[in-house]
Structures are given as C-alpha cells and as structure tokens.
Amino acid sequence: LWSLAGGAPVKLAQLQVDEREPVVAAALGRDGKRLLTAAGHFQRGVARVWRLDDPRAPRPGAPIPTAGASAVALSPDGRLVA
C-alpha cells in the first residue's frame, strides 16, 4: 500500500500473501478502510477483504474461495463483493 498524500509516493505496507497465489486484482472500498483482493490462478483462487483501519498494518479477512478472478468490485456500502 502506498500513500500519495504528500505528493511523492510513500510505502505504507506490503500485503502478506501466498507467493504461489499472486494478487491479480484489487479494489479499494469507498471509505478507504477496506481493500478487496483476488489471488490465484484460473481454476483456483481466493479473495480477501483486508481491513485498513491502520494502513501500516493491513489485516486480512477470511478467505473467500473463487474459481479464479481477473477483476473484483465492492458495493458502495461495502457489504457485497463481486
């Protein structure tokens, strides 16, 4: 995660993900406190909603099994993922 608040990019944190399942898509929630990621390969993958209350220490949510994804989205209220 990077901050652009001061103009120049400043690295805040790196998501701790499984190297065998690279992140292929991400979407930031409207409130900036959730990040949805999709990782994995075509037939097997996992999505997660990360809590960004402290962007320097992102907390992963429970894995959501997928059949692989190339794009992800969060609903405006953050209650649905696609």
Side-chain angles (χ1 to χ4, degrees):
L1 298 174
W2 295 79
S3 172
L4 302 176
V10 174
K11 187 174 185 176
L12 298 177
Q14 182 169 330
L15 300 179
Q16 300 299 314
V17 297
D18 187 335
E19 293 176 2
R20 296 167 292 165
E21 295 184 344
V23 172
V24 296
L28 187 60
R30 183 181 251 176
D31 63 3
K33 294 186 180 190
R34 292 183 195 94
L35 177 70
L36 172 62
T37 60
H41 303 287
F42 179 67
Q43 295 184 4
R44 182 179 63 87
V46 64
R48 286 186 193 275
V49 177
W50 298 76
R51 298 289 305 180
L52 303 178
D53 298 317
D54 178 358
R56 295 182 188 278
R59 296 179 307 171
I64 303 166
T66 70
S70 60
V72 292
L74 280 164
S75 64
D77 65 5
R79 293 181 181 203
L80 296 174
V81 298

